[in-house]
């Protein structure tokens, strides 16, 4: 797990400044504090940089990236992990390939030589983002893993292409502009981003399962995107006909294998443990795989409605885990809000993101670099209430209207804490999404219901620029219709969630970004792609049956689970909203006094001060309905976020920050010494 960055200039003769590459590595030092390296391809206008977190092959020199093949054909900078690397290395060695390191990254050089880059991708199992430059073809390829666990961004400037593991890494290059786009700002305020975009003008993510290929022709760069993998739910009528027991046995085998692979490291591996079935089943299997007790880290909240530590304690005791609980109080969450935004690089709607940052910091201080996590289970097995709601409304043709109404009422009552947040207060239909998906997925409805509020909160210039903008249409246009057509409604709902919110939210600002803020590699076992490719074949009735979410996982792993957990419905991991706690509300108001003041808003020119104040007063009014206050709480977090993001990344000179960080780390002196010795 590391951080990467680099450039490819349009002009072959334009020299790559190592000082800039060094700054691009330094500004992501949190991703890779164990080493720094860079390489320049002379006469090609290409340079890569790398900040290393050592987990496989701890030798500081052997594992230093970027790697160059012996014949000079390939230059590689890699972030992430390739699992199953020992088997692949043994196979390649038996075919005459020689390895200079024990690093899994070196696999890419030899797999690319054997199969070509495209042929190598199916062999890669894990979470990764990497850049490959092919000398003979004068071609740069950026590749991101199948789900987007590892981040990767790029910007095409007049000088050339700049890429990096984080947006700040791209911005550390002086040629990259730093400003919000009008539509990006709009989506930051309504939570759901358009796939393939960020909040910033001209900066884009490499999307999950995608390659971005850059070639130089006639002194200019051409760029095109290719999807090398996607989530392929079966067409209607083609799902395999198997017994429940057969499905459960295959799930057990694939799940155990996925966890075993993610326990492989040259450093100790721990687990995150909540009160949910996902992390509890992972802990149960991990405990069986390990000779010594597994270290388990749990977040607790000082609000009993949101705290899951009691169930987590029961699970830890059942498998003999060494549990460590970090209890977070409401005021802490806003104390660290601005620091968290430096790492998320986009708005957040709930402060559980801050709690995750504090947890990763706690785990790092305890001496761990790797944790196995439960992300992906809700996506595969329809755990979220929004997905189950779509199943009830659109995927239960055999049920009577009364049966569906009863299930919908039960779901609403059991998730009333999340009304106005995960679940919309009232049903909403968007014509563009209805046209592509067949209905407006519930996972988007709550946030789309904010669409009418957002324009009035914007600075007049942005408001005018977005006069005819339709966020639902923008999201619909970014979805791949062929992957939705002729699929079961639950499959469609899961696909849309995975494409719109899973990557940017669950895996992004609530995952990698706050874990790697403290040099912590998170390994989501449920996202092992052979397991996923099996899971999409599961009939909807094995995902949601009766009142049980994630039915097949619950039944397959029943013997591992405490009875309380086995019977418990999915509970979303969420921090208490600010209006639930006077102390937390005061902390939020203190932050608002700084970032949402007239001077701050006028300076950033993103928002309308009068409209923001009206919203704040509405949120503070005890007469405002609870569901509306939940939604307003999210909006205030978004308003705070965009103001803080402006201060971090627009008002601040990021290239200067990058160079200052390199100097503080002593890298500038090292670079000067290396230059002098040449």
């Amino acid at each position: 797990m590391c951080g990467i960055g680099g450039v490819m200039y349009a002009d072959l003769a334009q020299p790559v400044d190592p000082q800039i590459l060094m700054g691009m590595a330094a500004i992501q030092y949190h991703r890779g504090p164990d080493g720094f390296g860079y390489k320049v391809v002379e006469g090609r206008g290409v340079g890569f940089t790398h900040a290393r977190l050592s987990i496989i092959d701890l030798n500081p020199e052997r594992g230093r990236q970027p790697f160059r093949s012996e014949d000079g054909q390939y230059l590689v900078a890699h972030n992430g992990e390739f699992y199953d690397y020992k088997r692949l290395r043994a196979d390649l060695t038996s075919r005459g390939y020689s390895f200079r390191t024990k690093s899994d990254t070196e696999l890419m050089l030899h797999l690319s030589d054997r199969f070509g880059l495209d042929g190598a991708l199916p062999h890669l199992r894990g979470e990764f983002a990497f850049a490959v430059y092919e000398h003979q073809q004068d071609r740069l390829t950026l590749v991101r893993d199948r789900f987007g666990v590892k981040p990767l961004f790029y910007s095409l400037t007049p000088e050339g292409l700049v890429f990096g593991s984080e947006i700040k890494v791209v911005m550390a290059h002086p040629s990259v502009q730093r400003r919000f786009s009008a539509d990006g700002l709009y989506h930051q305020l309504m939570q759901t981003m358009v796939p393939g975009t960020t909040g910033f003008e001209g900066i884009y993510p490499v999307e999950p399962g995608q390659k971005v290929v850059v070639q130089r022709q006639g002194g200019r760069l051409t760029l095109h995107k290719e999807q090398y993998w996607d989530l392929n739910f079966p067409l209607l009528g083609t799902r395999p006909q198997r017994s429940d027991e057969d499905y459960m046995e295959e799930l057990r085998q694939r799940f155990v294998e996925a966890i075993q692979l993610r326990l492989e490291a040259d450093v100790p591996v721990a687990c995150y443990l909540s009160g949910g079935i996902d992390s509890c089943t992972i802990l149960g299997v991990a405990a069986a795989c390990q000779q010594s007790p597994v270290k388990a880290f749990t977040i607790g909240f000082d609000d009993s409605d949101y705290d899951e530590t009691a169930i987590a304690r029961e699970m830890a005791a059942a498998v003999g885990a060494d549990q460590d609980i970090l209890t977070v109080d409401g005021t802490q969450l806003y104390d660290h809000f601005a620091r968290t935004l430096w790492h998320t690089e986009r708005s957040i709607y709930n402060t559980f993101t801050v709690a995750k940052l504090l947890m990763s910091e706690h785990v790092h201080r305890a001496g761990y670099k790797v944790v196995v996590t439960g992300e992906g289970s809700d996506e595969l097995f329809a755990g979220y209430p929004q997905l189950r709601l779509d199943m009830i409304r659109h995927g239960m043709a055999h049920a009577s209207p009364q049966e569906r109404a009863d299930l919908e009422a039960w779901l609403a009552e059991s998730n009333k804490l999340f009304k106005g947040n995960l679940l919309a207060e009232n049903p909403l239909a968007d014509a563009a999404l209805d046209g592509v998906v067949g209905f407006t997925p519930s996972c988007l409805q709550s946030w789309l219901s904010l669409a009418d509020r957002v324009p009035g909160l914007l600075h007049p210039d942005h408001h005018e620029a977005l006069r005819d903008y339709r966020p639902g249409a923008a999201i619909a246009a970014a979805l791949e219709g062929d992957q939705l057509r002729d699929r079961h409604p639950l499959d469609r709902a899961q696909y849309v969630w995975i494409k719109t919110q899973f990557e940017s939210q669950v895996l992004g600002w609530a995952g990698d970004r706050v874990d790697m803020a403290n040099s912590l590699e998170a390994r989501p076992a449920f996202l092992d792609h052979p397991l996923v490719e099996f899971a999409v074949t599961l009939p909807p009735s094995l995902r949601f049956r009766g009142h049980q979410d994630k039915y097949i996982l619950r039944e397959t792993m029943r013997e591992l689970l405490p009875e309380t957990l086995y019977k418990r419905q999915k509970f979303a991991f969420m921090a208490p909203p600010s209006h639930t706690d006077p102390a937390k509300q005061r902390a939020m108001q203190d932050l608002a006094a700084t970032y949402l003041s007239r001077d701050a808003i006028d300076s950033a020119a993103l928002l309308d001060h009068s409209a923001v104040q009206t919203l704040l007063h509405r949120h503070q009014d005890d007469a405002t309905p609870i569901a509306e206050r939940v939604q307003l709480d999210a909006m205030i977090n978004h308003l705070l976020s965009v103001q803080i993001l402006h201060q971090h990344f627009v008002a601040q000179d990021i290239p200067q920050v990058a160079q200052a960080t390199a100097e503080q780390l002593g890298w500038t002196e090292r670079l000067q010494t290396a230059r002098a010795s040449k």
Side-chain angles (χ1 to χ4, degrees):
M1 191 71 70
C2 310
I4 66 173
V7 297
M8 180 178 185
Y9 292 133
D11 183 356
L12 279 166
Q14 182 170 346
V16 176
D17 186 351
Q19 192 82 28
I20 292 176
L21 294 178
M22 182 184 62
M24 294 171 73
I27 204 165
Q28 57 181 328
Y29 175 78
H30 51 277
R31 298 190 69 89
D34 297 331
F36 149 67
Y38 75 90
K39 280 189 171 63
V40 172
V41 184
E42 297 296 344
R44 290 298 183 99
V46 171
F48 289 2
T49 191
H50 185 268
R52 185 182 186 220
L53 178 64
S54 55
I55 289 171
I56 303 293
D57 192 352
L58 306 185
N59 184 293
E61 293 305 319
R62 246 190 354 230
R64 189 185 301 278
Q65 292 190 51
F67 283 176
R68 198 194 310 259
S69 61
E70 288 188 6
D71 62 2
Q73 164 65 358
Y74 297 107
L75 180 68
V76 175
H78 164 230
N79 164 35
E81 299 295 344
F82 299 139
Y83 304 117
D84 203 22
Y85 69 96
K86 289 183 177 179
R87 183 189 64 80
L88 288 169
R89 187 172 64 205
D91 178 85
L92 288 165
T93 300
S94 75
R95 299 174 189 277
Y97 287 93
S98 177
F99 285 79
R100 292 172 291 171
T101 76
K102 295 294 183 181
S103 167
D104 58 335
T105 301
E106 195 177 356
L107 281 174
M108 268 309 302
L109 298 176
H110 299 316
L111 285 172
S112 296
D113 180 74
R114 176 164 161 69
F115 298 109
L117 179 57
D118 287 349
L121 294 177
H123 295 271
L124 301 180
R125 187 173 183 176
E127 301 90 47
F128 49 82
F130 60 84
V132 178
Y133 176 69
E134 298 167 274
H135 195 276
Q136 187 174 343
Q137 293 82 2
D138 192 23
R139 179 170 62 208
L140 169 68
T141 304
L142 306 177
V143 182
R144 195 171 177 202
D145 66 65
R146 295 167 179 86
F147 294 94
V149 179
K150 297 293 106 194
L152 188 57
F153 300 90
Y154 66 93
S155 182
L156 196 57
T157 76
E159 290 186 14
L161 185 120
V162 182
F163 69 88
S165 291
E166 298 186 2
I167 290 173
K168 65 179 70 69
V169 180
V170 178
M171 287 181 169
H173 195 285
S175 70
V176 175
Q177 62 183 348
R178 305 190 317 278
R179 65 169 181 263
F180 278 99
S181 64
D183 54 340
L185 175 61
Y186 190 115
H187 283 272
Q188 295 283 316
L189 293 178
M190 62 165 279
Q191 171 58 26
T192 303
M193 298 298 296
V194 176
T197 70
T198 71
F200 298 99
E201 189 79 48
I203 299 179
Y204 306 97
V206 178
E207 295 181 62
Q210 188 181 82
K211 298 187 305 174
V212 174
V213 183
V214 186
Q215 292 213 253
R216 192 164 21 207
Q217 296 175 341
R220 59 185 293 269
L221 299 181
T222 62
L223 181 152
H224 74 276
K225 305 173 186 178
E226 298 176 18
Q227 197 73 27
Y228 72 87
W229 189 91
D230 205 351
L231 202 63
N232 289 310
F233 285 98
L235 294 169
L236 291 171
T238 66
R239 190 164 257 120
Q241 299 300 307
R242 302 169 60 181
S243 69
D244 288 3
E245 291 72 22
D246 282 348
Y247 278 117
M248 289 178 190
E249 283 308 309
E250 184 165 352
L251 172 60
R252 188 190 320 277
Q253 177 263 316
R254 293 189 180 280
F255 183 50
V256 169
E257 181 181 54
I259 294 170
Q260 286 176 319
L261 286 171
R262 280 154 183 78
L263 293 172
E264 179 70 42
D266 293 340
V267 296
V269 179
C271 290
Y272 274 158
L273 176 64
S274 68
I277 189 174
D278 320 320
S279 63
C280 287
T281 53
I282 286 173
L283 180 67
V285 173
C289 292
Q290 300 283 73
Q291 294 293 87
S292 55
V294 177
K295 187 75 174 179
F297 291 94
T298 300
I299 299 175
F301 293 112
D302 59 353
D303 184 325
S304 59
D305 285 343
Y306 294 83
D307 184 64
E308 296 185 294
T309 55
I311 294 176
R313 280 195 184 97
E314 188 176 350
M315 184 67 203
V319 299
D322 177 12
Q323 189 182 25
D324 185 334
I325 299 175
L326 173 69
T327 301
V328 179
D329 68 56
T331 56
Q332 284 179 284
L333 298 175
Y334 280 103
D335 288 345
H336 297 275
F337 194 94
R339 176 164 70 103
T340 302
L341 268 292
W342 171 253
H343 294 288
T344 65
E345 299 178 333
R346 61 150 292 175
S347 64
I348 62 175
Y349 74 89
N350 183 271
T351 51
F352 76 84
T353 313
V354 185
K356 281 286 300 287
L357 178 92
L358 297 176
M359 171 55 90
S360 70
E361 187 173 57
H362 180 74
V363 175
H364 177 79
R365 287 173 177 168
Y368 286 83
K369 290 183 175 183
V370 183
V371 288
V372 183
T373 69
E375 287 90 351
S377 171
D378 291 305
E379 284 68 26
L380 299 182
F381 307 118
Y384 292 117
Q386 310 97 302
L387 300 175
R388 287 178 279 150
L389 182 57
D390 286 336
M391 176 69 171
I392 294 166
R393 287 177 174 171
H394 309 289
M396 298 178 68
H398 62 281
S400 69
Q402 187 58 51
E403 287 173 323
R404 289 198 296 273
D406 290 345
L407 276 172
E408 189 168 339
W410 159 79
L411 189 70
E413 175 61 26
S414 56
N415 289 276
K416 60 186 177 184
L417 277 176
F418 310 117
K419 194 77 168 178
N421 185 324
L422 299 182
L423 294 173
E425 188 172 4
N426 299 298
L428 178 149
D430 182 275
L433 286 163
D434 286 352
V436 173
V437 184
F439 54 91
T440 301
S442 297
C443 67
L444 299 178
Q445 288 188 28
S446 180
W447 306 121
L448 286 170
S449 69
L450 298 175
D452 290 340
R453 287 185 184 266
V454 169
L457 292 166
L458 297 173
H459 185 278
D461 291 347
H462 291 301
H463 191 173
E464 178 60 29
L466 295 164
R467 180 175 295 277
D468 298 318
Y469 186 71
R470 298 291 179 266
I475 293 169
L479 297 173
E480 180 53 63
D482 287 345
Q483 297 298 101
L484 292 162
R485 199 169 295 114
D486 297 326
R487 265 72 173 195
H488 188 277
L490 183 59
D491 296 343
R492 284 179 264 157
Q494 288 177 230
Y495 185 85
V496 171
W497 165 265
I498 288 168
K499 290 297 178 178
T500 58
Q501 297 195 71
F502 184 48
E503 175 261 338
S504 67
Q505 175 182 314
V506 179
L507 297 178
W509 58 252
D512 172 271
R513 312 310 290 280
V514 288
D515 290 321
M516 286 300 285
N518 293 295
S519 311
L520 182 68
E521 174 177 289
R523 298 177 169 184
F526 286 102
L527 296 184
D528 191 49
H529 80 271
L531 169 59
V532 172
E533 289 170 351
F534 158 71
V536 298
T537 69
L538 294 171
S541 63
L542 279 177
R543 288 171 259 168
F544 180 37
R545 182 175 295 184
H547 288 179
Q548 280 198 336
D549 61 272
K550 294 183 277 196
Y551 175 82
I552 186 172
L553 180 64
R554 193 179 300 272
E555 293 301 315
T556 303
M557 295 295 161
R558 181 171 185 171
E559 298 304 320
L560 281 177
L561 302 173
E563 189 71 10
T564 307
L565 179 57
Y566 169 75
K567 293 180 177 179
R568 183 179 186 242
Q569 190 192 160
K570 161 73 182 178
F571 184 87
F573 176 63
M574 198 84 66
S578 65
H579 69 268
T580 62
D581 176 4
K584 188 175 183 183
Q585 188 159 17
R586 285 193 298 274
M588 184 269 284
Q589 290 166 354
D590 288 344
L591 208 61
T594 299
Y595 292 103
L596 299 178
S597 67
R598 180 176 294 279
D599 285 348
I601 286 177
D602 288 349
S603 175
L606 300 174
L607 305 173
D608 181 277
H609 180 262
S610 176
V612 169
Q613 292 305 307
T614 300
L615 187 146
L616 289 172
H617 291 314
R618 177 74 178 163
H619 177 260
Q620 293 164 21
D621 186 348
D622 291 338
T624 302
I626 292 297
E628 185 180 353
R629 293 185 84 182
V630 169
Q631 194 171 63
L632 291 174
D633 186 89
M635 289 204 75
I636 293 168
N637 286 334
H638 289 144
L639 293 168
L640 288 167
S641 293
V642 298
Q643 287 290 108
I644 293 168
L645 290 170
H646 178 272
Q647 179 171 306
H648 282 332
F649 301 112
V650 180
Q652 191 171 211
D653 187 332
I654 295 298
Q656 189 177 70
V657 171
Q659 293 303 317
T661 304
E663 190 164 346
Q664 290 166 10
L665 293 170
W667 292 359
T668 302
E669 186 176 346
R670 279 174 48 194
L671 180 62
Q672 291 169 346
T673 301
R675 282 172 159 173
S677 65
K678 287 185 177 180

